[in-house]
Amino acid sequence: MKKTTCKNLGGTCDAEIQGETPEEMGEKSKQHVMEMMQSGDQDHKAAVEKMMQLSKEEQEKWYDDFQKSFDSLPDA
Ligand SMILES: [Zn+2]
């Protein structure tokens, strides 16, 4: 199990996100961001909007980099 922070995943806070795989971590990060947005958090909303403005290629590159760096994340 690896861990990172919301901020490291393009978010805005220091909430810890854990996952066994990059996919799982991506899912948990998405859930966290959704929860924060539903509670009316503007920072997370802005972070999502920024992410949505990236082109498909940029989003793929971001995900690729995230998968590559997954192994170097600290163990949870
Ligand atoms: Zn967050």
Side-chain angles (χ1 to χ4, degrees):
M1 187 84 105
K2 297 286 188 179
K3 67 176 178 184
T4 190
T5 60
C6 171
K7 210 181 263 174
N8 264 332
L9 295 170
T12 57
C13 76
D14 291 318
E16 194 173 286
I17 314 281
Q18 299 183 351
E20 288 288 356
T21 60
E23 290 77 18
E24 190 186 342
M25 194 174 263
E27 271 309 306
K28 290 216 174 132
S29 141
K30 213 185 281 175
Q31 272 172 22
H32 161 75
V33 168
M34 287 299 176
E35 277 168 19
M36 295 302 283
M37 275 172 69
Q38 272 161 17
S39 68
D41 187 279
Q42 293 299 316
D43 288 345
H44 286 77
K45 192 162 176 273
V48 169
E49 276 164 8
K50 207 167 137 198
M51 200 73 175
M52 304 287 269
Q53 279 165 10
L54 294 178
S55 66
K56 196 165 186 302
E57 288 74 27
E58 284 170 325
Q59 285 184 20
E60 273 165 12
K61 186 186 177 301
W62 183 91
Y63 195 67
D64 204 48
D65 289 346
F66 164 57
Q67 282 187 312
K68 278 185 198 141
S69 65
F70 185 77
D71 285 341
S72 60
L73 291 173
D75 290 316

